């Protein structure tokens, strides 16, 4: 039986948490002196919001079929992404068959290639692609993980990202990824403070709990190499996104020079099969971490993950709530998932994209069994103040 054609694509913007999870209030761990490439400017060192990490806001994409069924997704992108969706991408979906996911992706990507390829444009494209997968799941009455080939394990296992790995351990997570607080501009004193924080958490969590540093692109090769060797003493499991996403050569050398047994990871700000091919063929990392809301959507994440699988590299998507969970549960080379602790003190489990997703599942004791609800299994909270700036 043919599926109803796509009637309309709508793009909304929302402020305050949600998919733009850096858009938080005062006193949140996620905006407390975290090292970034901007940390070399003292005025931008304390707060990432001071240099605009939350400037975009959340993009909500809705795709409505002729029979009234609506698929939706959320990602980071805000008003400029809404413009791209309504003014450029919508033309490749409206009036089309929702099963033409590959052709629609190809037309969205190559029609924007002259100004896109990565970043905001591919965030917008990813949001449309995820909404299309949600619509298709709802039309078929199946969860997205069925459309991806089905579960390879009964439940998901999570590590937690946040300022309190010691509390994450008590909540049942398999590991804790800590934000790095001091970059090269703070010299040896900053390096010492970084290591002191790691030593404290190692002391509190014992020998076997995974501890990782997330460096959010803040370091240079020399500092990152030194940090890996000094952190090795405390059993650091991986060093994440130490360098600029464009410094493939630096990652190649960091991976070569890091202590044996320590993993080098990156990819959350990389996009498309071509970007990840570069990371893989230059042997930049041991784990790739694409964000499904930023790398090209589910259609592209499948291609990216297969490249990694062919080289024995794990694909552990950057935390993106249900959008990554439905993927991870279907892939052997994604044996665990990331959960971002969005409670301001990282002391309790709260939904990642709150308040935008109704029914958003969260790990219990570090584990999660996905329901078989259609699509991504969540509904849009229409009370969050949806604004459609480019309504047609
Ligand atoms: C904790 C990190 O600084 C980022 O805020 C986080 O979003 C990302 O890098 C992650 O891997 O979760
Ligand atoms: Mg990261």
């Amino acid at each position: 039986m043919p599926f109803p054609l796509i009637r309309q694509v709508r793009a909304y913007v929302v402020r305050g948490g949600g998919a733009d999870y850096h858009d938080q209030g005062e006193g949140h761990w996620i905006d407390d002196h975290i090292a970034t490439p901007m940390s070399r400017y003292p005025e931008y060192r304390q707060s990432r919001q001071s240099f605009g990490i939350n400037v975009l806001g959340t993009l909500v994409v809705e795709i409505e079929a002729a029979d009234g069924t609506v698929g939706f997704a959320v990602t980071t992108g805000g008003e400029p992404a809404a413009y791209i969706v309504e003014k450029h991408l919508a033309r490749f979906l409206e009036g089309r068959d929702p099963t033409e996911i590959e052709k629609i992706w190809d037309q969205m990507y190559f029609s924007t290639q002259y100004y896109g390829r990565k970043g905001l444009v591919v965030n917008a494209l990813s949001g449309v692609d995820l909404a299309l997968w949600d619509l298709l799941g709802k039309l078929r009455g199946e969860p997205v993980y069925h459309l991806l080939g089905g579960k390879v394990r009964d439940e998901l296992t999570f590590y937690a990202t946040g300022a309190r790995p010691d509390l994450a351990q008590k909540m049942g997570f398999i590991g804790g990824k800590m934000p790095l607080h001091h970059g090269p501009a703070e010299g040896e004193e900053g390096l010492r403070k970084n290591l002191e924080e790691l030593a404290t958490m190692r002391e509190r969590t014992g020998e076997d709990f995974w501890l990782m540093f997330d460096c959010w692109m803040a370091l240079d090769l020399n500092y990152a190499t030194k940090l890996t060797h000094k952190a090795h003493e405390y059993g650091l499991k991986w060093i994440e996104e130490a360098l600029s996403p464009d410094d493939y050569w630096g990652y190649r050398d960091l991976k070569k020079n890091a202590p044996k047994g320590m993993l080098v990871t990156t990819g959350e700000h990389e996009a498309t099969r071509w970007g990840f091919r570069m990371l893989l063929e230059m042997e930049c990392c041991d784990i790739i971490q694409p964000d499904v809301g930023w790398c090209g959507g589910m259609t592209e994440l499948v291609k990216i993950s297969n490249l990694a699988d062919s080289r024995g590299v794990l694909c552990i998507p950057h935390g993106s709530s249900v959008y990554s969970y439905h993927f991870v549960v279907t892939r052997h080379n994604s044996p665990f998932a990331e959960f971002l602790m969005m409670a301001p003190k990282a002391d309790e489990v709260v939904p990642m994209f709150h308040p935008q997703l109704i029914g958003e599942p969260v790990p219990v004791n570090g584990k999660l069994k996905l329901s078989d609800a259609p699509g991504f299994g969540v509904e849009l909270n229409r009370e969050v103040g949806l604004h459609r700036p480019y309504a047609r």
Side-chain angles (χ1 to χ4, degrees):
M1 192 206 31
F3 286 103
L5 299 184
I6 293 168
R7 190 180 69 77
Q8 190 180 50
V9 175
R10 298 184 288 270
Y12 301 91
V13 298
V14 182
R15 295 298 322 198
D20 189 355
Y21 53 81
H22 289 113
D23 193 16
Q24 298 294 336
E26 290 290 310
H28 198 291
W29 70 264
I30 211 164
D31 200 28
D32 180 13
H33 204 287
I34 292 179
T36 78
M38 291 292 284
S39 301
R40 50 178 167 266
Y41 303 104
E43 65 272 32
Y44 295 122
R45 201 171 283 173
Q46 172 53 40
S47 158
R48 295 192 283 188
Q49 289 192 20
S50 70
F51 69 72
I53 196 171
N54 62 329
V55 71
L56 290 176
T58 292
L59 168 73
V60 177
V61 178
E62 275 192 325
I63 304 177
E64 182 172 348
D67 68 349
T69 306
V70 177
F72 85 100
V74 299
T75 186
T76 310
E79 195 154 333
Y83 181 93
I84 292 163
V85 171
E86 299 260 13
K87 302 286 187 184
H88 201 164
L89 303 181
R91 72 185 73 189
F92 302 114
L93 290 100
E94 289 170 351
R96 299 281 286 279
D97 180 335
T99 62
E100 293 178 341
I101 287 199
E102 282 287 346
K103 183 156 82 172
I104 288 168
W105 194 97
D106 199 62
Q107 292 174 348
M108 290 196 292
Y109 180 78
F110 287 102
S111 65
T112 57
Q113 189 179 43
Y114 71 101
Y115 70 97
R117 299 178 50 241
K118 294 181 196 249
L120 177 70
V121 175
V122 180
N123 284 23
L125 185 160
S126 302
V128 172
D129 182 74
L130 289 168
L132 195 49
W133 279 90
D134 189 49
L135 174 63
L136 206 48
K138 285 171 177 167
L139 288 170
R140 289 179 189 272
E142 295 192 78
V144 168
Y145 62 75
H146 277 183
L147 310 186
L148 290 168
K151 292 182 176 179
V152 297
R153 58 186 72 86
D154 286 341
E155 59 184 2
L156 293 162
T157 302
F158 290 86
Y159 75 86
T161 296
R164 295 297 302 271
D166 52 336
L167 299 183
Q169 183 182 36
K170 293 182 171 49
M171 296 178 214
F173 291 97
I174 55 172
K177 184 167 76 182
M178 309 158 63
L180 192 78
H181 286 117
H182 306 283
E186 296 178 71
E188 292 306 312
E189 191 196 344
L191 179 59
R192 188 176 46 72
K193 286 179 183 171
N194 288 331
L195 292 164
E196 277 172 5
E197 288 177 27
L198 176 59
T200 300
M201 288 303 165
R202 179 52 74 204
E203 176 72 27
R204 291 185 190 172
T205 60
E207 289 311 301
D208 300 332
F209 188 65
W210 296 357
L211 288 176
M212 298 79 88
F213 268 141
D214 187 309
C215 307
W216 211 76
M217 307 171 277
L219 310 181
D220 58 57
L221 177 58
N222 177 262
Y223 189 102
T225 307
K226 250 168 84 175
L227 178 61
T228 59
H229 285 270
K230 290 179 177 293
H232 196 42
E233 180 188 336
Y234 303 103
L236 189 76
K237 183 168 181 73
W238 76 62
I239 183 169
E240 178 168 327
E241 223 189 7
L243 309 175
S244 160
D246 297 315
D247 189 2
Y248 302 102
W249 305 271
Y251 277 110
R252 175 200 58 199
D253 294 347
L254 178 61
K255 183 171 180 299
K256 264 194 209 130
N257 300 325
K260 288 282 165 268
M262 185 178 295
L263 300 173
V264 173
T265 76
T266 192
E268 75 184 66
H269 295 104
E270 187 55 85
T272 78
R273 71 201 82 151
W274 299 285
F276 282 91
R277 177 183 173 188
M278 184 72 100
L279 282 177
L280 292 164
E281 292 195 0
M282 287 190 65
E283 299 187 0
C284 294
C285 54
D286 301 288
I287 298 177
I288 61 167
Q289 301 167 304
D291 184 300
V292 68
W294 303 344
C295 72
M298 191 64 81
T299 307
E300 196 65 3
L301 180 56
V302 168
K303 296 180 173 73
I304 291 165
S305 174
N306 291 344
L307 286 177
D309 196 5
S310 72
R311 301 173 76 99
V313 172
L314 295 186
C315 176
I316 309 294
H318 172 247
S320 42
S321 186
V322 290
Y323 304 108
S324 51
Y325 304 165
H326 277 252
F327 179 80
V328 166
V329 82
T330 69
R331 287 309 187 269
H332 289 292
N333 69 320
S334 303
F336 53 89
E338 176 182 7
F339 186 76
L340 261 149
M341 300 295 279
M342 295 318 298
K345 301 292 175 219
D347 54 1
E348 62 171 313
V349 172
V350 298
M352 250 194 79
F353 284 174
H354 178 77
Q356 288 155 16
L357 302 184
I358 294 171
E360 181 181 5
V362 294
V364 174
N365 199 25
K367 303 234 181 258
L368 171 62
K369 272 187 192 292
L370 286 175
S371 83
D372 59 0
F376 288 105
V378 289
E379 291 306 325
L380 178 60
N381 176 1
R382 309 197 76 85
E383 304 301 313
V384 295
L386 296 167
H387 168 51
R388 188 182 174 199
Y390 301 103
R392 290 167 290 136

